């Protein structure tokens, strides 16, 4: 009888674990294949992945309504200032052009703002993805990050 109860408990735990994995993934999964992203800059020009991959790339998926996203922007700005032209830092939102332009006008961040024509498949933001020069996603962070963590990841990509 005890073996049967343990088998049932283990079965339930396995189901809950698997379901939890897929649920969490559905909340945070970002489209990481750069060729599948449909991106435009604020001037309306289509941006192709090859333009972004001349150096290691950091993409931060964000929204103006996302307080944690806005909270971590100074971290990305400091990284951009430290690394200069050794890295591309891009922020992508699926909000309207006017919403992004208003945010940009009221802030002094110097990274590139891009707009996804497709709705981003994320219910949680921010999500940050690090790409090597080949366009391969090498690391994905969910939630806010720090300058130190970003620099550590970028330095490990070399």
């Amino acid at each position: 009888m005890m073996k049967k109860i343990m088998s049932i408990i283990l079965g339930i735990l396995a189901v809950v674990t698997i379901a939890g994995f897929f649920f969490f993934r559905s909340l945070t999964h970002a489209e990481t294949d750069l060729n599948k992203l449909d991106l435009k800059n604020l001037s309306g020009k289509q941006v192709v992945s090859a333009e972004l991959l001349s150096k290691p790339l950091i993409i931060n998926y964000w929204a103006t309504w996302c307080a944690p996203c806005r909270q971590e922007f100074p971290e990305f700005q400091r990284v951009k200032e430290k690394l200069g032209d050794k890295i591309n830092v891009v922020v992508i939102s699926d909000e309207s052009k006017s919403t992004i332009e208003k945010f940009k006008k009221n802030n002094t961040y110097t990274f590139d703002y891009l707009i996804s024509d497709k709705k981003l498949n994320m219910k949680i933001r921010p999500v940050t993805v690090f790409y090597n020069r080949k366009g391969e996603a090498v690391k994905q962070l969910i939630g806010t990050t720090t300058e130190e963590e970003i620099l550590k990841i970028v330095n490990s990509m070399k």
Side-chain angles (χ1 to χ4, degrees), residues 14-141:
V15 169
V16 168
T17 301
I18 292 168
F21 170 78
F22 285 107
F23 175 73
F24 185 72
R25 181 176 160 84
S26 74
L27 290 178
T28 59
H29 178 71
E31 175 58 70
T32 59
D33 183 344
L34 292 175
N35 295 317
K36 292 183 179 178
L37 293 173
D38 189 12
L39 303 172
K40 291 182 181 164
N41 64 22
L42 293 179
S43 300
K45 179 184 176 263
Q46 193 77 31
V47 176
V48 294
S49 60
E51 295 172 29
L52 303 173
L53 293 171
S54 58
K55 46 194 136 191
L57 170 66
I58 301 170
I59 291 182
N60 180 262
Y61 297 91
W62 74 294
T64 58
W65 49 260
C66 170
C69 299
R70 295 187 315 270
Q71 174 188 337
E72 73 178 354
F73 270 24
E75 306 291 324
F76 287 105
Q77 184 62 40
R78 284 192 291 277
V79 167
K80 184 158 173 41
E81 289 169 3
K82 278 188 178 177
L83 297 178
D85 64 354
K86 295 177 185 167
I87 189 127
N88 279 329
V89 178
V90 175
V91 294
I92 297 175
S93 178
D94 56 7
E95 295 175 282
S96 72
K97 178 181 170 185
S98 61
T99 299
I100 303 302
E101 285 176 331
K102 182 178 177 183
F103 177 87
K104 184 179 179 184
K105 180 181 172 188
N106 293 324
N107 293 279
T108 59
Y109 305 118
T110 60
F111 28 79
D112 295 322
Y113 293 84
L114 298 180
I115 299 170
S116 174
D117 282 342
K118 298 178 188 173
K119 283 291 181 195
L120 298 174
N121 186 26
M122 290 175 286
K123 293 177 179 69
I124 294 176
R125 295 182 200 178
V127 174
T128 305
V129 183
F130 296 79
Y131 297 87
N132 61 23
R133 286 184 176 97
K134 296 176 188 174
E136 301 164 332
V138 295
K139 181 80 172 172
Q140 179 173 312
L141 301 176

